[in-house]
Amino acid sequence: MTARVLIVDDVPANLKLLDAKLTAEYFGVLKAASGPEAIEIATSQQPDIILLDVMMPGMDGFEVCRRLKGAPQTEHIPIIMVTALDQPKDRVQGLEAGADDFLTKPVNDLALFARVKSLVRLKMVTDELKMREATGQRIGAFLGTSTERMLMSEPGRALVIDDRPTSLKRMSEALSLEHMVTVAETADEMMQLATIGDYDLLIVSLTLQDFDGLRLCSQLRSLEATRQTPILAIVEEGDTPRLVRALDMGVNDYLVRPVDRNELVARCRTQLRRKRYQDYLRDKFQQGLELAITDGLTGLYNRRYMESHLASLVEEATHAGKPVSLLIFDIDYFKSVNDTHGHPAGDAVLKEFAQRIQQNVRGVDLACRLGGEEFVVVMPDTDLSYAFMVAERLRQKVAEVAFHVEPTLKLNITVSIGIGVTEGPADTAEKLLERADNALYRAKRDGRNRVVSEAA
């Protein structure tokens, strides 16, 4: 894994040493000798991670961290604070300033590289989600909004396993002041609860007596339901090999025994904030994607999605020697509905018409609104006789039951339908759509309220 690392230290020898270590591991290195310089480089160069010394003259590392985490351009860059300070209160101060981790000098190389790689992986996920969000905003799929609402407005849900009763009680009591805490008695129970419980944070002791804590973390990372859930590991002081393996397999953060209450709360808060931000970006992207490919009025897929999907479907079907049928619907005399009863009545007709289509086609069929009063149903692996039967059934369902537009207004609606079917390996989506459209034209020309196929 390659990444650009910004190292910040006012001691030239420390900069040189870290530069040499990181370069040997194939990281790109940026260097800053002061707080203001670090902020300037971080803003302009956008490194993947920052190693930040605390004890610097003028602006110390805590203040640098607060400023970087408070700026939109740099708030999502992971920061590891590196210092000779080794008291829990110092770590808590760094975490509350926004740091993602806090390493004590002299830094163990294995732990440092494992931590850097772990945080860089997390940043890559966030960067990808942010890029999708930006793309969505550019194409108008969704709007940019404040992210404050998804940070810490609601209590988190933490699932904890630790077979040391005193430690478990201390952690549960500390976290219960802000969050909802569930305790798992065994590894099997942990897996079961984590899979169905939609937790925000999993806290796992790596020193369980009856089960390998590393294996439990590995299993949690392998499941789809828990793959994105932050894991906070509890490790023994000095157990670097186990810690390195945990970080390498995807554990997000760790605490060293004896667990400091305030540090526990601060680290959990950091993990919850990051998870909720990533969840927010994922949900927002999914919502934007749905808006980009669906019709806002009817909920059916839109023309853009239909054309893309149809091209792939026709190509695959023709190679496999299977037919694809396409139905085009046009609501008869729809303009008179709008002219006589107004556009709200027309919208009500369109929505109910879409519902009737969905109720009468298969799950594999693709129902779309082309625009206006025109709709399409794409039917994979369907020949002309079956497509005609479905189209005729839909025509009857529309004509036989009046549309309830308003409580006191019912309208009799009919529809004309044209059918096209693929014609062999050289066929294309454009040709199929054209043939169905020609059939629709004949249905309207010959009196409407009828089904016409391209072969008619």
Side-chain angles (χ1 to χ4, degrees):
M1 175 186 296
T2 59
R4 292 194 308 157
V5 183
L6 170 60
I7 51 177
V8 186
D9 201 309
D10 64 310
V11 178
N14 292 343
L15 282 176
K16 186 175 181 179
L17 179 61
L18 277 174
D19 186 0
K21 289 181 177 181
L22 291 165
T23 301
E25 292 292 321
Y26 303 102
F27 290 101
V29 177
L30 302 168
K31 292 177 285 187
S34 68
E37 185 183 8
I39 293 173
E40 180 182 350
I41 293 175
T43 303
S44 60
Q45 299 295 318
Q46 292 291 303
D48 296 299
I49 194 167
I50 299 172
L51 300 181
L52 176 62
D53 185 37
V54 171
M55 306 303 292
M56 294 186 297
M59 186 186 298
D60 66 17
F62 296 129
E63 180 60 24
V64 174
C65 187
R66 277 190 288 269
R67 294 195 185 191
L68 289 171
K69 290 296 185 178
Q73 304 95 322
T74 55
E75 63 179 334
H76 304 300
I77 301 175
I79 296 176
I80 300 177
M81 304 196 79
V82 184
T83 180
L85 302 174
D86 61 356
Q87 296 301 309
K89 65 180 180 63
D90 300 315
R91 292 196 294 271
V92 171
Q93 185 178 356
L95 293 167
E96 289 181 343
D100 297 86
D101 204 352
F102 198 101
L103 298 180
T104 303
K105 296 178 181 178
V107 177
N108 180 283
D109 289 354
L110 286 175
L112 171 63
F113 296 140
R115 198 71 189 113
V116 167
K117 291 175 182 177
S118 175
L119 287 171
V120 167
R121 281 195 297 267
L122 286 172
K123 182 176 182 293
M124 289 170 62
V125 172
T126 303
D127 285 349
E128 173 65 20
L129 293 170
K130 288 180 65 182
M131 183 172 65
R132 293 178 183 180
E133 179 191 30
T135 300
Q137 291 181 21
R138 283 197 301 272
I139 67 174
F142 45 82
L143 302 176
T145 57
S146 170
T147 61
E148 287 300 316
R149 68 175 182 82
M150 81 303 173
L151 293 182
M152 300 302 289
S153 58
E154 298 291 336
R157 303 183 69 242
L159 177 60
V160 185
I161 184 169
D162 189 352
D163 54 12
R164 301 187 185 184
T166 303
S167 173
L168 180 60
K169 181 180 179 182
R170 240 187 352 255
M171 287 193 295
S172 298
E173 289 177 348
L175 292 176
S176 294
L177 296 176
E178 294 185 10
H179 311 294
M180 295 177 287
V181 180
T182 303
V183 173
E185 301 290 340
T186 65
D188 287 342
E189 185 182 11
M190 180 82 173
M191 291 295 297
Q192 182 179 9
L193 290 172
T195 301
I196 64 175
D198 192 26
Y199 289 94
D200 299 304
L201 179 65
L202 308 173
I203 302 178
V204 179
S205 169
L206 298 186
T207 57
L208 300 172
Q209 295 299 311
D210 297 329
F211 198 84
D212 184 348
L214 282 174
R215 185 172 300 280
L216 177 55
C217 292
S218 175
Q219 291 175 350
L220 289 168
R221 273 290 165 264
S222 67
L223 294 177
E224 182 66 29
T226 55
R227 190 165 294 156
Q228 305 296 338
T229 308
I231 300 176
L232 178 65
I234 309 298
V235 298
E236 294 290 342
E237 186 172 5
D239 193 358
T240 302
R242 195 191 299 261
L243 172 60
V244 169
R245 291 196 65 183
L247 292 171
D248 192 51
M249 69 175 54
V251 166
N252 302 79
D253 204 351
Y254 62 92
L255 280 163
V256 177
R257 295 188 192 275
V259 174
D260 178 78
R261 178 191 186 98
N262 293 325
E263 185 177 359
L264 169 68
V265 171
R267 288 190 183 274
C268 289
R269 190 180 294 129
T270 296
Q271 292 304 318
L272 287 169
R273 183 177 288 109
R274 180 184 289 121
K275 179 183 185 294
R276 288 181 176 181
Y277 181 68
Q278 291 185 348
D279 287 348
Y280 167 80
L281 289 177
R282 287 190 183 93
D283 290 345
K284 192 173 181 183
F285 175 72
Q286 185 61 37
Q287 292 168 8
L289 182 63
E290 290 175 1
L291 288 173
I293 66 175
T294 56
D295 173 59
L297 178 65
T298 64
L300 301 182
Y301 287 105
N302 61 20
R303 183 178 196 126
R304 184 196 313 180
Y305 181 80
M306 185 276 295
E307 290 176 344
S308 175
H309 183 77
L310 181 62
S312 301
L313 191 63
V314 169
E315 183 178 358
E316 292 175 5
T318 53
H319 286 165
K322 297 180 179 179
V324 175
S325 291
L326 187 144
L327 317 181
I328 293 188
F329 304 76
D330 188 285
I331 299 176
D332 297 329
Y333 306 110
F334 181 74
K335 185 176 182 298
S336 65
V337 175
N338 284 331
D339 292 344
T340 305
H341 305 286
H343 287 280
D347 288 348
V349 168
L350 293 173
K351 287 192 283 188
E352 186 170 340
F353 184 79
Q355 290 173 1
R356 295 193 190 187
I357 289 179
Q358 289 178 306
Q359 291 166 359
N360 287 278
V361 297
R362 304 168 300 184
V364 297
D365 299 330
L366 183 74
C368 312
R369 183 186 177 197
L370 281 188
E373 67 271 26
E374 284 195 334
F375 294 77
V376 162
V377 172
V378 181
M379 307 181 71
D381 197 11
T382 303
D383 59 20
L384 177 59
S385 61
Y386 186 84
F388 197 97
M389 179 187 71
V390 172
E392 181 59 26
R393 182 177 70 225
L394 274 164
R395 185 197 65 78
Q396 292 176 9
K397 292 288 184 182
V398 170
E400 291 174 356
V401 181
F403 282 55
H404 291 258
V405 176
E406 296 173 1
T408 58
L409 178 62
K410 296 181 181 180
L411 297 178
N412 293 317
I413 300 295
T414 61
V415 62
S416 300
I417 306 174
I419 305 177
V421 182
T422 50
E423 295 182 344
D427 211 354
T428 65
E430 291 77 11
K431 292 177 181 177
L432 174 62
L433 195 58
E434 182 179 0
R435 288 196 297 273
D437 198 46
N438 290 336
L440 173 63
Y441 172 79
R442 292 199 299 273
K444 295 165 66 175
R445 181 197 62 190
D446 295 343
R448 294 182 167 84
N449 189 25
R450 66 190 62 226
V451 178
V452 174
S453 72
E454 56 181 329

